[in-house]
Amino acid sequence: MPLAPNRQQLDIAAERAKCTFDPSQLTPLFYGGEEKMKRLKKIEALVDSEPVFNRDDRYFLGRTERFKRALPMAKRYVELRNEHSLTPEESAYMKVYIDDYIPIHLHESMFLPVLRAQASEEQLKVWGPLAENYHYIGCYAQTELGHGSALGRLETTATFDVERDQWIINSPTQSSAKFWIGTLGKIANHAIVQAKLIINNKDYGAHPFLVPLRSLKDHTPLPGVVIKDQGPKQGAVSMDNGYARFNNVRIPRENMLMRFSQVSREGVYSKPIHPKLAYGGMTAVRTTLINHSALSMARAVTIATRYCAVRRQGTVDIKTDLETQVLDYPSVQSRILPLLSHSFATIFSGIWMTDMYAQYNADISKGDTSLLKDVHVYSSGLKSYCTKLGADGIEEARRCLGGHGFSLFSGMIDFHRQFLATVTYEGENALLTQQVSRYLLKLYKDVLRNPNMHLSPPSKYILSLFHENLFVHQKCEARSIRDLYRPEIVLAAFQHRAARLILELARAEKAGASWSDLNLECMRLSKAHVQYIMIENFHNGLEKHFNCHANPTVEQQNLLAAIRSVYDLHVFYTMETELSEFLEDGYFSPEQAAWVRQGFKNSLKAVRPNAVGFADCFGFTDSLLNSALGSWDGRAYERMAEMTEKEPLNGEPMTDKNGVVWGYEEYLKPLIYGKAGPYKARGDSKL
């Protein structure tokens, strides 16, 4: 009998046919513009053309195999970077598209940025070319076995020996061992080590030092340096996260990174213009993690949306004799489509944070630290919220795949377990919320002293708390569900919620509550503030990128309407999720709360026809997705079957030409032929 036509291909084609806009119009947004997209698409094609980066067998390899395979990948990456004279941005994107934490990953994403930011111009003239050309392969050693992002509590010491003009690097306790340091375990020959700077028994706090780790002649660990790979972990399988201890390791005084702080030959310490400049490396990575969260969510949504559009289960249509597309069930839509809206909201917030960080760097080079607090706090808050949103969202999308989501062939699991570490590194997420809340509380106190003070746009709403009596009587001005689609109504609601939580935190502190007892209040406030920022960034992004045409064409109008439906979905989903906080002080009425719930349902219906189009607009290649379920052509079941052909258990030597598994003669045949003895259960419970 002839095979029935592939229903899945028909379904995916039908989804694209009913899309109301051209998805390719949106794709440049995620690449940073049309010209940049063209350059980065060439990078994708370059990676896909190199056999060393092939992903076909990735899901079948163990940790040691993945690490071994990553070494030639690292070498070829550097060769391609040099052959094509790639910019730092293009090089970074190549590593993203390779989609594996190759062992040199942290050299470029942590070591080089910190070196460029913290080393003096004189130091960069010497070290820069060596590091840029991989003569120095570096890592950033901050986290310790006993401490993470709290620089003030690090135990590694750098004690100045004024007679020999050297620093003595020491790990005085087991807990002071550097731990979780990517590229350290087997690859790095240098590290930027964060250590407490000590002169004449005085502790000046953590500072960065360039410390040689391994011989440049034969790669053996240098005297006094004990290094090990720290062992298996949940993700980043190819990365050699390492453990290191230092026993009286001596380095020249000039190996202290001295852009902001200096120590003279006589041992005189010169402090930086701002103490938080030491956090520059962490701030840079936090900014990157916001964008990483957006693209990781978008990747999960692409797979889940395409698969749920072609997967049919449950209710049968009498006319067509077809089961219902899974994506047509509201219970599935309510889990997947909000993740789509979160992806867009995070993308726009990533753009905003990247721009702010670039301005901060430009200002710092001129000695201006005015943006430092904002950059530090907002990158901390967004990193905390967005990485949690991403980790939870990817897992929710995976669950929507049903049983097939348990397979690595789904394309979800490998990159998800790699993403999971983001909720803890560069600041544990719950801990970061305290920094955000402390800052907002300080601004509130400053406003009480000076209501005319200047506040940056994301925190201007705090000025409303100066007139507390007026503030506590504020009510949402929505008179119908239509009003909840108005940006000014939405933004006012999120501003009020965040401001009220600041006020409540201030009252609790004034009443004598210790800061450690206010952790939960800090978490709520930080989330409220960040959700407001994200919605405002989403709105501003729409205005900037899509609502800038005086006489829009029909195509432009359709695109704007489609993207606005995603914005509305993000707003209503967030409002419904946090509805209790809008209701508890009476800002929302019960009727308005009902409008929010209805608005969420309406938004799901509005986004649903364009769901596959939005998944397509992210521009992910099938090669990157590496997913049987989320491929462009919709051939989910066929691809699942095809991938089983690559399973090593199905080929020699694990299975012979007759289909018999290895070990049959020795282990299975004796059981089948009764050679293990008869079984008879005892009548009692004694062994």
Side-chain angles (χ1 to χ4, degrees), residues 384-604:
S384 173
Y385 181 77
C386 294
T387 54
K388 183 179 187 304
L389 197 66
D392 294 345
I394 297 167
E395 172 61 9
E396 187 65 36
R398 187 197 65 79
R399 292 179 182 179
C400 288
L401 303 178
H404 293 325
F406 194 63
S407 170
L408 286 181
F409 297 162
S410 69
M412 288 282 205
I413 296 173
D414 194 61
F415 90 89
H416 180 217
R417 61 191 181 190
Q418 191 155 289
F419 182 85
L420 287 174
T422 64
V423 303
T424 48
Y425 68 68
E426 306 316 305
E428 194 278 327
N429 279 0
L431 181 64
L432 288 177
T433 64
Q434 296 181 46
Q435 298 185 33
V436 177
S437 298
R438 278 186 186 277
Y439 182 59
L440 296 175
L441 185 60
K442 178 183 181 301
L443 291 181
Y444 164 68
K445 294 175 180 178
D446 291 343
V447 164
L448 293 185
R449 289 189 290 268
N450 177 18
N452 296 315
M453 70 176 293
H454 171 74
L455 293 179
S456 60
S459 53
K460 278 187 176 180
Y461 67 84
I462 298 175
L463 294 170
S464 65
L465 292 173
F466 181 75
H467 300 289
E468 185 177 325
N469 290 334
L470 294 176
F471 174 82
V472 297
H473 291 97
Q474 287 181 356
K475 305 291 181 184
C476 178
E477 296 182 0
R479 297 294 175 262
S480 70
I481 191 172
R482 289 190 298 275
D483 286 340
L484 291 179
Y485 288 86
R486 292 167 50 193
E488 65 272 21
I489 296 289
V490 168
L491 293 173
F494 279 90
Q495 288 171 347
H496 176 89
R497 170 189 168 220
R500 178 177 64 82
L501 292 176
I502 293 173
L503 185 59
E504 291 182 0
L505 181 63
R507 289 172 175 172
E509 185 189 50
K510 188 175 182 180
S514 66
W515 191 254
S516 60
D517 285 336
L518 297 173
N519 286 175
L520 298 182
E521 287 82 354
C522 289
M523 292 170 68
R524 281 194 289 268
L525 171 56
S526 179
K527 180 170 66 171
H529 181 69
V530 172
Q531 286 176 340
Y532 159 63
I533 289 176
M534 290 185 68
I535 286 174
E536 184 169 59
N537 286 333
F538 199 159
H539 170 260
N540 291 342
L542 292 185
E543 293 296 307
K544 178 180 178 180
H545 294 280
F546 303 105
N547 200 24
C548 53
H549 304 286
N551 297 298
T553 64
V554 173
E555 290 78 11
Q556 290 166 341
Q557 292 178 42
N558 289 341
L559 178 61
L560 179 60
I563 194 68
R564 278 198 181 281
S565 71
V566 177
Y567 167 77
D568 293 335
L569 176 58
H570 182 70
V571 168
F572 282 116
Y573 175 87
T574 308
M575 276 188 172
E576 185 181 41
T577 304
E578 312 296 342
L579 200 49
S580 63
E581 292 186 356
F582 292 99
L583 281 165
E584 62 187 358
D585 70 337
Y587 186 78
F588 272 8
S589 69
E591 185 178 23
Q592 290 168 334
W595 295 341
V596 169
R597 291 200 173 96
Q598 186 59 49
F600 176 55
K601 294 179 69 174
N602 293 347
S603 295
L604 291 175

Side-chain angles (χ1 to χ4, degrees), residues 287-330:
T287 300
T288 301
L289 286 176
I290 300 164
N291 296 301
H292 181 46
S293 300
L295 294 180
S296 296
M297 273 190 288
R299 180 174 176 174
V301 166
T302 296
I303 294 171
T305 301
R306 287 176 178 170
Y307 178 62
C308 289
V310 301
R311 174 77 165 178
R312 289 180 176 270
Q313 291 280 282
T315 308
V316 177
D317 187 312
I318 298 176
K319 294 180 180 179
T320 62
D321 195 34
L322 293 174
E323 292 179 279
T324 301
Q325 289 172 274
V326 170
L327 195 56
D328 281 338
Y329 290 107

Side-chain angles (χ1 to χ4, degrees), residues 83-128:
E83 289 171 15
H84 296 273
S85 301
L86 300 183
T87 66
E89 183 180 50
E90 291 167 341
S91 299
Y93 186 74
M94 179 177 282
K95 293 202 301 296
V96 168
Y97 191 73
I98 289 171
D99 193 37
D100 202 358
Y101 275 151
I102 55 178
I104 59 169
H105 194 97
L106 274 295
H107 173 82
E108 288 193 10
S109 62
M110 285 296 292
F111 179 78
L112 277 175
V114 174
L115 189 70
R116 295 176 188 132
Q118 302 282 337
S120 67
E121 293 301 323
E122 294 76 14
Q123 290 172 323
L124 280 177
K125 287 178 182 178
V126 177
W127 298 332

